[in-house]
Each structure stands twice: as structure tokens, then as C-alpha cells.
């Protein structure tokens, strides 16, 4: 890849494999559910917090070039809705060969990748904090409703 930014197909920067029993995937491995996939979830791509096995219902992304894992996850997530709409549709499983068609935005420079991650981090933190706040308010409401009805 000679340019610093552009759209690439996933196989140009990584290989994707169906997770297998007995294989230990390293910390910060990016993965997606391919069997009975969760099409309606807000985040389709996930990242491991520790090394370990992943169940066979997932597929793992193994980068073939230097890339920051958090950046790659964000780039994959950015184009996930279009990919699902175009290639998955109403199917409940993702065929592995469809990942050859997965198009994502990509910065080849690691410093630019870090800049993108650092720019998005406060936004993601705010979203997570707001989700926690909403959950706390729901619990308070539930408690009050329980006290209201005798």
C-alpha cells in the first residue's frame, strides 16, 4: 500500500479465519460473530481483553501489516452497517468468503491511526458514561415504582 489513506478490502491488510478449538488468540484480537450473527446490535466487531480461545461461532481478524488493534476495530465498525445491508441482508450467518468484499477506510501510517483512536476515545467514553447513567436512572425508577405499587 503506497498511499497513506484510502479504502481497502479486508484481505489486503488482514486475514480472517473462523475461530477453532484449541487456538489461543492473543490479547486485542478483533472478532465478529458469524453464526447466528447479531445484525441489530450497535457494535458488530469486538476486541479481546486477554489472550484465550474464542468459540467457533466467531471469526477472528489477524492483521498482515502493522496496525493498531483499536484503530482496525473502529475502521471495521465504520463500514459494518453497509456491509451487513449489502451482503448479509436477512441471513443469520455470515459466509466467510464475503469478508473478501469487506471495504473499510484505512490509514497506513501508525501515527495517523493513533490520532484517530485518541480523537474517538473521549467520545466513546462519554457514550459509555451516558449509558451507565441511563441504567442507573432506570434502576431508580424501578425502585420507586416498586415502592409506589403495594
Amino acid at each position: 500500500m503506497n498511499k497513506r489513506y484510502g479504502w481497502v478490502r479486508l484481505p489486503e491488510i488482514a486475514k480472517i479465519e473462523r475461530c477453532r478449538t484449541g487456538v489461543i488468540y492473543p490479547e486485542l484480537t478483533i472478532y465478529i460473530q458469524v453464526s447466528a450473527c447479531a445484525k441489530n446490535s450497535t457494535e458488530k466487531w469486538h476486541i479481546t481483553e486477554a489472550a484465550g480461545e474464542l468459540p467457533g461461532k466467531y471469526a477472528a481478524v489477524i492483521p498482515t501489516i502493522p496496525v493498531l488493534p483499536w484503530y482496525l476495530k473502529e475502521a471495521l465498525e465504520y463500514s459494518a452497517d453497509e456491509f451487513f445491508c449489502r451482503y448479509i441482508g436477512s441471513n443469520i450467518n455470515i459466509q466467510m468468503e464475503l469478508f473478501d468484499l469487506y471495504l473499510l477506510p484505512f490509514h497506513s501510517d501508525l501515527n495517523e491511526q493513533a490520532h484517530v483512536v485518541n480523537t474517538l476515545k473521549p467520545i466513546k467514553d462519554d457514550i459509555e458514561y451516558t449509558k451507565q447513567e441511563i441504567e442507573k436512572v432506570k434502576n431508580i425508577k424501578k425502585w420507586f415504582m416498586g415502592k409506589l405499587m403495594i
Side-chain angles (χ1 to χ4, degrees):
M1 180 184 302
N2 54 8
K3 52 186 184 169
R4 294 172 61 132
Y5 174 78
W7 288 84
V8 298
R9 295 207 183 274
L10 184 55
E12 294 175 34
I13 59 168
K15 67 177 188 160
I16 187 158
E17 67 178 35
R18 187 77 182 247
C19 295
R20 300 179 315 268
T21 305
V23 176
I24 303 297
Y25 293 94
E27 179 182 10
L28 302 179
T29 297
I30 299 156
Y31 64 97
I32 188 170
Q33 186 171 338
V34 292
S35 293
C37 61
K39 291 185 283 256
N40 297 328
S41 66
T42 54
E43 287 194 350
K44 294 171 179 58
W45 293 92
H46 310 281
I47 193 163
T48 59
E49 295 179 11
E53 286 189 42
L54 289 168
K57 66 180 183 177
Y58 295 108
V61 176
I62 295 103
T64 55
I65 63 170
V67 62
L68 299 177
W70 289 105
Y71 172 81
L72 182 56
K73 179 188 177 291
E74 291 300 328
L76 289 164
E77 199 66 58
Y78 181 82
S79 48
D81 287 337
E82 181 180 345
F83 174 77
F84 271 74
C85 184
R86 180 175 286 180
Y87 299 110
I88 309 306
S90 61
N91 294 328
I92 62 169
N93 298 323
I94 301 174
Q95 301 301 316
M96 293 300 293
E97 59 271 4
L98 289 176
F99 288 111
D100 292 344
L101 305 172
Y102 202 106
L103 198 61
L104 65 145
F106 190 74
H107 288 89
S108 59
D109 182 50
L110 292 176
N111 291 327
E112 290 175 12
Q113 290 177 17
H115 178 70
V116 169
V117 170
N118 292 336
T119 302
L120 291 175
K121 184 171 179 5
I123 298 168
K124 290 198 151 296
D125 290 346
D126 283 348
I127 291 170
E128 188 57 38
Y129 178 75
T130 303
K131 285 179 182 176
Q132 291 172 4
E133 290 262 316
I134 291 169
E135 202 56 44
K136 288 176 185 175
V137 170
K138 283 181 180 178
N139 289 337
I140 291 170
K141 177 185 173 189
K142 184 178 177 180
W143 184 83
F144 277 112
M145 293 301 285
K147 295 294 181 188
L148 181 66
M149 305 296 175
I150 299 176

Short mmCIF file of all heavy atoms in Angstrom, two decimals, residues 5-47:
data_model
loop_
_atom_site.label_atom_id
_atom_site.label_comp_id
_atom_site.label_asym_id
_atom_site.label_seq_id
_atom_site.Cartn_x
_atom_site.Cartn_y
_atom_site.Cartn_z
N TYR A 5 -3.78 7.00 3.00
CA TYR A 5 -5.18 6.82 3.38
C TYR A 5 -5.98 6.42 2.15
O TYR A 5 -5.74 6.90 1.05
CB TYR A 5 -5.78 8.10 3.96
CG TYR A 5 -7.26 7.97 4.23
CD1 TYR A 5 -7.72 7.30 5.35
CD2 TYR A 5 -8.21 8.47 3.34
CE1 TYR A 5 -9.07 7.15 5.60
CE2 TYR A 5 -9.56 8.32 3.58
CZ TYR A 5 -9.99 7.67 4.71
OH TYR A 5 -11.32 7.50 4.95
N GLY A 6 -6.95 5.54 2.37
CA GLY A 6 -7.83 5.15 1.29
C GLY A 6 -8.75 4.02 1.73
O GLY A 6 -8.70 3.58 2.87
N TRP A 7 -9.55 3.58 0.81
CA TRP A 7 -10.44 2.45 1.07
C TRP A 7 -9.74 1.18 0.63
O TRP A 7 -9.19 1.13 -0.47
CB TRP A 7 -11.76 2.64 0.33
CG TRP A 7 -12.58 3.72 0.95
CD1 TRP A 7 -12.48 5.06 0.71
CD2 TRP A 7 -13.58 3.56 1.93
NE1 TRP A 7 -13.37 5.74 1.48
CE2 TRP A 7 -14.07 4.85 2.25
CE3 TRP A 7 -14.13 2.47 2.59
CZ2 TRP A 7 -15.08 5.07 3.18
CZ3 TRP A 7 -15.14 2.69 3.51
CH2 TRP A 7 -15.60 3.97 3.81
N VAL A 8 -9.75 0.16 1.48
CA VAL A 8 -9.11 -1.12 1.16
C VAL A 8 -10.09 -2.25 1.45
O VAL A 8 -11.02 -2.10 2.23
CB VAL A 8 -7.81 -1.33 1.99
CG1 VAL A 8 -6.79 -0.27 1.68
CG2 VAL A 8 -8.10 -1.39 3.48
N ARG A 9 -9.84 -3.36 0.81
CA ARG A 9 -10.60 -4.57 1.14
C ARG A 9 -9.88 -5.27 2.28
O ARG A 9 -8.65 -5.23 2.38
CB ARG A 9 -10.69 -5.49 -0.07
CG ARG A 9 -11.50 -4.87 -1.20
CD ARG A 9 -12.14 -5.92 -2.07
NE ARG A 9 -12.85 -5.31 -3.19
CZ ARG A 9 -14.09 -4.87 -3.12
NH1 ARG A 9 -14.77 -4.96 -2.01
NH2 ARG A 9 -14.67 -4.32 -4.17
N LEU A 10 -10.64 -5.87 3.16
CA LEU A 10 -10.08 -6.50 4.36
C LEU A 10 -8.92 -7.46 4.06
O LEU A 10 -7.90 -7.42 4.76
CB LEU A 10 -11.19 -7.19 5.15
CG LEU A 10 -10.81 -7.83 6.48
CD1 LEU A 10 -10.14 -6.81 7.41
CD2 LEU A 10 -12.04 -8.43 7.16
N PRO A 11 -9.00 -8.31 3.03
CA PRO A 11 -7.87 -9.23 2.76
C PRO A 11 -6.56 -8.54 2.40
O PRO A 11 -5.50 -9.15 2.45
CB PRO A 11 -8.37 -10.09 1.59
CG PRO A 11 -9.85 -9.96 1.61
CD PRO A 11 -10.14 -8.60 2.15
N GLU A 12 -6.61 -7.24 2.03
CA GLU A 12 -5.38 -6.51 1.70
C GLU A 12 -4.56 -6.19 2.94
O GLU A 12 -3.36 -5.97 2.84
CB GLU A 12 -5.71 -5.21 0.97
CG GLU A 12 -6.34 -5.40 -0.39
CD GLU A 12 -6.76 -4.07 -1.01
OE1 GLU A 12 -6.08 -3.06 -0.78
OE2 GLU A 12 -7.79 -4.06 -1.72
N ILE A 13 -5.20 -6.17 4.10
CA ILE A 13 -4.49 -5.78 5.32
C ILE A 13 -4.54 -6.85 6.41
O ILE A 13 -3.81 -6.75 7.40
CB ILE A 13 -5.05 -4.45 5.90
CG1 ILE A 13 -6.53 -4.59 6.22
CG2 ILE A 13 -4.79 -3.31 4.93
CD1 ILE A 13 -7.08 -3.44 7.04
N ALA A 14 -5.39 -7.86 6.23
CA ALA A 14 -5.52 -8.88 7.28
C ALA A 14 -6.12 -10.15 6.69
O ALA A 14 -6.73 -10.13 5.62
CB ALA A 14 -6.42 -8.37 8.40
N LYS A 15 -5.93 -11.23 7.41
CA LYS A 15 -6.65 -12.45 7.05
C LYS A 15 -7.70 -12.67 8.12
O LYS A 15 -7.53 -12.25 9.27
CB LYS A 15 -5.72 -13.66 6.91
CG LYS A 15 -5.07 -14.14 8.15
CD LYS A 15 -4.23 -15.39 7.89
CE LYS A 15 -3.76 -15.94 9.23
NZ LYS A 15 -3.36 -17.32 9.16
N ILE A 16 -8.80 -13.26 7.73
CA ILE A 16 -9.87 -13.52 8.68
C ILE A 16 -10.13 -15.01 8.66
O ILE A 16 -10.21 -15.63 7.61
CB ILE A 16 -11.14 -12.69 8.36
CG1 ILE A 16 -12.16 -12.86 9.46
CG2 ILE A 16 -11.68 -12.99 7.01
CD1 ILE A 16 -13.17 -11.74 9.54
N GLU A 17 -10.18 -15.59 9.86
CA GLU A 17 -10.35 -17.04 9.95
C GLU A 17 -11.43 -17.38 10.95
O GLU A 17 -11.65 -16.65 11.92
CB GLU A 17 -9.04 -17.72 10.36
CG GLU A 17 -8.57 -17.40 11.75
CD GLU A 17 -7.28 -18.12 12.12
OE1 GLU A 17 -6.42 -18.31 11.24
OE2 GLU A 17 -7.16 -18.50 13.29
N ARG A 18 -12.10 -18.48 10.67
CA ARG A 18 -13.10 -18.98 11.61
C ARG A 18 -12.36 -19.48 12.85
O ARG A 18 -11.35 -20.17 12.73
CB ARG A 18 -13.88 -20.11 10.94
CG ARG A 18 -15.05 -20.64 11.70
CD ARG A 18 -16.22 -19.68 11.58
NE ARG A 18 -17.36 -20.14 12.35
CZ ARG A 18 -18.49 -20.55 11.80
NH1 ARG A 18 -18.63 -20.55 10.49
NH2 ARG A 18 -19.48 -20.93 12.56
N CYS A 19 -12.81 -19.09 14.03
CA CYS A 19 -12.14 -19.50 15.27
C CYS A 19 -12.26 -21.01 15.45
O CYS A 19 -13.28 -21.61 15.14
CB CYS A 19 -12.75 -18.75 16.45
SG CYS A 19 -12.46 -16.98 16.36
N ARG A 20 -11.16 -21.58 15.95
CA ARG A 20 -11.08 -23.03 16.12
C ARG A 20 -10.77 -23.37 17.57
O ARG A 20 -10.07 -22.63 18.27
CB ARG A 20 -9.98 -23.60 15.23
CG ARG A 20 -10.21 -23.35 13.75
CD ARG A 20 -9.08 -23.92 12.88
NE ARG A 20 -7.74 -23.66 13.36
CZ ARG A 20 -6.99 -22.61 13.01
NH1 ARG A 20 -7.47 -21.70 12.20
NH2 ARG A 20 -5.77 -22.48 13.47
N THR A 21 -11.27 -24.51 18.01
CA THR A 21 -11.00 -25.00 19.35
C THR A 21 -9.51 -25.28 19.49
O THR A 21 -8.87 -25.80 18.58
CB THR A 21 -11.79 -26.30 19.60
OG1 THR A 21 -13.17 -26.04 19.36
CG2 THR A 21 -11.62 -26.79 21.02
N GLY A 22 -8.95 -24.91 20.63
CA GLY A 22 -7.55 -25.16 20.91
C GLY A 22 -6.61 -24.06 20.46
O GLY A 22 -5.43 -24.08 20.80
N VAL A 23 -7.10 -23.11 19.70
CA VAL A 23 -6.27 -22.00 19.24
C VAL A 23 -6.38 -20.86 20.25
O VAL A 23 -7.49 -20.44 20.60
CB VAL A 23 -6.69 -21.50 17.84
CG1 VAL A 23 -5.89 -20.29 17.43
CG2 VAL A 23 -6.53 -22.62 16.82
N ILE A 24 -5.25 -20.39 20.74
CA ILE A 24 -5.23 -19.27 21.67
C ILE A 24 -5.00 -18.00 20.86
O ILE A 24 -3.97 -17.84 20.21
CB ILE A 24 -4.10 -19.43 22.73
CG1 ILE A 24 -4.25 -20.75 23.49
CG2 ILE A 24 -4.09 -18.24 23.67
CD1 ILE A 24 -5.52 -20.86 24.31
N TYR A 25 -5.97 -17.12 20.91
CA TYR A 25 -5.87 -15.85 20.20
C TYR A 25 -5.27 -14.82 21.15
O TYR A 25 -5.61 -14.77 22.33
CB TYR A 25 -7.24 -15.41 19.68
CG TYR A 25 -7.73 -16.34 18.60
CD1 TYR A 25 -8.56 -17.41 18.90
CD2 TYR A 25 -7.33 -16.18 17.29
CE1 TYR A 25 -8.98 -18.29 17.91
CE2 TYR A 25 -7.74 -17.04 16.28
CZ TYR A 25 -8.56 -18.10 16.60
OH TYR A 25 -8.97 -18.97 15.62
N PRO A 26 -4.35 -13.99 20.63
CA PRO A 26 -3.67 -13.04 21.51
C PRO A 26 -4.61 -11.94 22.02
O PRO A 26 -5.69 -11.73 21.47
CB PRO A 26 -2.56 -12.45 20.63
CG PRO A 26 -2.99 -12.71 19.24
CD PRO A 26 -3.88 -13.92 19.26
N GLU A 27 -4.15 -11.27 23.06
CA GLU A 27 -4.87 -10.12 23.57
C GLU A 27 -5.07 -9.11 22.44
O GLU A 27 -4.22 -8.98 21.55
CB GLU A 27 -4.05 -9.49 24.70
CG GLU A 27 -4.66 -8.27 25.32
CD GLU A 27 -3.76 -7.69 26.40
OE1 GLU A 27 -2.60 -8.11 26.54
OE2 GLU A 27 -4.24 -6.79 27.09
N LEU A 28 -6.18 -8.41 22.45
CA LEU A 28 -6.55 -7.40 21.45
C LEU A 28 -6.82 -7.99 20.06
O LEU A 28 -6.61 -7.33 19.04
CB LEU A 28 -5.50 -6.28 21.37
CG LEU A 28 -5.23 -5.53 22.68
CD1 LEU A 28 -4.15 -4.47 22.48
CD2 LEU A 28 -6.50 -4.91 23.24
N THR A 29 -7.29 -9.22 20.03
CA THR A 29 -7.73 -9.83 18.77
C THR A 29 -9.13 -9.31 18.45
O THR A 29 -10.00 -9.27 19.31
CB THR A 29 -7.76 -11.37 18.88
OG1 THR A 29 -6.45 -11.85 19.11
CG2 THR A 29 -8.32 -12.01 17.61
N ILE A 30 -9.32 -8.90 17.22
CA ILE A 30 -10.61 -8.40 16.77
C ILE A 30 -11.41 -9.59 16.23
O ILE A 30 -10.87 -10.41 15.49
CB ILE A 30 -10.43 -7.31 15.70
CG1 ILE A 30 -9.64 -6.17 16.31
CG2 ILE A 30 -11.76 -6.83 15.16
CD1 ILE A 30 -8.90 -5.34 15.33
N TYR A 31 -12.69 -9.66 16.61
CA TYR A 31 -13.51 -10.79 16.17
C TYR A 31 -14.94 -10.34 15.95
O TYR A 31 -15.36 -9.28 16.39
CB TYR A 31 -13.44 -11.94 17.18
CG TYR A 31 -13.99 -11.61 18.55
CD1 TYR A 31 -15.30 -11.96 18.89
CD2 TYR A 31 -13.22 -10.95 19.50
CE1 TYR A 31 -15.81 -11.66 20.14
CE2 TYR A 31 -13.73 -10.65 20.75
CZ TYR A 31 -15.03 -11.01 21.06
OH TYR A 31 -15.53 -10.71 22.29
N ILE A 32 -15.68 -11.18 15.21
CA ILE A 32 -17.08 -10.92 14.89
C ILE A 32 -17.84 -12.24 14.94
O ILE A 32 -17.28 -13.30 14.62
CB ILE A 32 -17.22 -10.26 13.49
CG1 ILE A 32 -18.66 -9.81 13.23
CG2 ILE A 32 -16.73 -11.19 12.39
CD1 ILE A 32 -18.83 -8.95 11.99
N GLN A 33 -19.10 -12.17 15.35
CA GLN A 33 -19.93 -13.37 15.37
C GLN A 33 -20.41 -13.65 13.96
O GLN A 33 -21.00 -12.79 13.32
CB GLN A 33 -21.11 -13.16 16.31
CG GLN A 33 -21.94 -14.41 16.51
CD GLN A 33 -22.97 -14.26 17.61
OE1 GLN A 33 -22.84 -13.41 18.48
NE2 GLN A 33 -24.00 -15.08 17.56
N VAL A 34 -20.15 -14.87 13.46
CA VAL A 34 -20.55 -15.24 12.10
C VAL A 34 -21.69 -16.26 12.07
O VAL A 34 -22.37 -16.38 11.07
CB VAL A 34 -19.35 -15.76 11.26
CG1 VAL A 34 -18.38 -14.64 10.98
CG2 VAL A 34 -18.67 -16.93 11.92
N SER A 35 -21.92 -16.99 13.17
CA SER A 35 -23.04 -17.91 13.26
C SER A 35 -24.14 -17.26 14.09
O SER A 35 -23.88 -16.81 15.20
CB SER A 35 -22.62 -19.23 13.93
OG SER A 35 -21.72 -19.92 13.11
N ALA A 36 -25.32 -17.21 13.54
CA ALA A 36 -26.45 -16.53 14.19
C ALA A 36 -26.01 -15.13 14.61
O ALA A 36 -26.11 -14.74 15.76
CB ALA A 36 -26.95 -17.34 15.38
N CYS A 37 -25.48 -14.40 13.64
CA CYS A 37 -24.88 -13.09 13.92
C CYS A 37 -25.91 -12.09 14.43
O CYS A 37 -27.08 -12.16 14.10
CB CYS A 37 -24.17 -12.54 12.69
SG CYS A 37 -25.23 -12.30 11.27
N ALA A 38 -25.42 -11.18 15.23
CA ALA A 38 -26.26 -10.15 15.84
C ALA A 38 -26.29 -8.93 14.92
O ALA A 38 -25.52 -8.00 15.10
CB ALA A 38 -25.73 -9.80 17.21
N LYS A 39 -27.19 -8.94 13.95
CA LYS A 39 -27.25 -7.85 12.96
C LYS A 39 -27.75 -6.55 13.55
O LYS A 39 -27.41 -5.49 13.08
CB LYS A 39 -28.14 -8.26 11.79
CG LYS A 39 -27.59 -9.35 10.94
CD LYS A 39 -28.47 -9.61 9.77
CE LYS A 39 -29.67 -10.37 10.16
NZ LYS A 39 -29.75 -11.74 9.84
N ASN A 40 -28.57 -6.63 14.58
CA ASN A 40 -29.20 -5.42 15.10
C ASN A 40 -28.43 -4.79 16.25
O ASN A 40 -28.86 -3.78 16.78
CB ASN A 40 -30.63 -5.74 15.54
CG ASN A 40 -31.49 -6.18 14.37
OD1 ASN A 40 -31.28 -5.73 13.26
ND2 ASN A 40 -32.41 -7.07 14.61
N SER A 41 -27.31 -5.37 16.64
CA SER A 41 -26.54 -4.78 17.73
C SER A 41 -25.81 -3.53 17.22
O SER A 41 -25.50 -3.42 16.03
CB SER A 41 -25.54 -5.78 18.30
OG SER A 41 -24.57 -6.09 17.32
N THR A 42 -25.55 -2.60 18.13
CA THR A 42 -24.89 -1.37 17.71
C THR A 42 -23.44 -1.61 17.33
O THR A 42 -22.93 -0.97 16.42
CB THR A 42 -24.96 -0.30 18.81
OG1 THR A 42 -24.43 -0.84 20.02
CG2 THR A 42 -26.38 0.17 19.03
N GLU A 43 -22.78 -2.53 18.03
CA GLU A 43 -21.40 -2.86 17.68
C GLU A 43 -21.34 -4.31 17.22
O GLU A 43 -21.75 -5.22 17.93
CB GLU A 43 -20.47 -2.65 18.87
CG GLU A 43 -20.22 -1.20 19.16
CD GLU A 43 -19.05 -0.99 20.11
OE1 GLU A 43 -18.56 -1.97 20.69
OE2 GLU A 43 -18.65 0.16 20.26
N LYS A 44 -20.83 -4.50 16.04
CA LYS A 44 -20.73 -5.85 15.48
C LYS A 44 -19.35 -6.45 15.71
O LYS A 44 -19.19 -7.65 15.81
CB LYS A 44 -21.10 -5.81 14.01
CG LYS A 44 -22.56 -5.42 13.82
CD LYS A 44 -22.91 -5.15 12.40
CE LYS A 44 -24.35 -4.81 12.20
NZ LYS A 44 -24.85 -3.66 12.93
N TRP A 45 -18.33 -5.61 15.76
CA TRP A 45 -16.96 -6.06 15.95
C TRP A 45 -16.58 -5.91 17.42
O TRP A 45 -16.99 -4.95 18.08
CB TRP A 45 -16.01 -5.25 15.08
CG TRP A 45 -16.21 -5.51 13.63
CD1 TRP A 45 -17.01 -4.82 12.77
CD2 TRP A 45 -15.63 -6.55 12.86
NE1 TRP A 45 -16.96 -5.37 11.52
CE2 TRP A 45 -16.11 -6.43 11.54
CE3 TRP A 45 -14.73 -7.58 13.15
CZ2 TRP A 45 -15.73 -7.31 10.51
CZ3 TRP A 45 -14.35 -8.45 12.14
CH2 TRP A 45 -14.85 -8.30 10.83
N HIS A 46 -15.79 -6.87 17.90
CA HIS A 46 -15.37 -6.87 19.30
C HIS A 46 -13.86 -7.05 19.36
O HIS A 46 -13.23 -7.43 18.37
CB HIS A 46 -16.08 -7.99 20.06
CG HIS A 46 -17.56 -7.99 19.84
ND1 HIS A 46 -18.41 -7.13 20.49
CD2 HIS A 46 -18.34 -8.74 19.02
CE1 HIS A 46 -19.65 -7.34 20.09
NE2 HIS A 46 -19.63 -8.31 19.19
N ILE A 47 -13.31 -6.82 20.55
CA ILE A 47 -11.87 -6.96 20.73
C ILE A 47 -11.63 -7.66 22.07
O ILE A 47 -12.30 -7.36 23.06
CB ILE A 47 -11.18 -5.58 20.64
CG1 ILE A 47 -9.68 -5.72 20.50
CG2 ILE A 47 -11.56 -4.68 21.78
CD1 ILE A 47 -8.99 -4.45 20.00
#
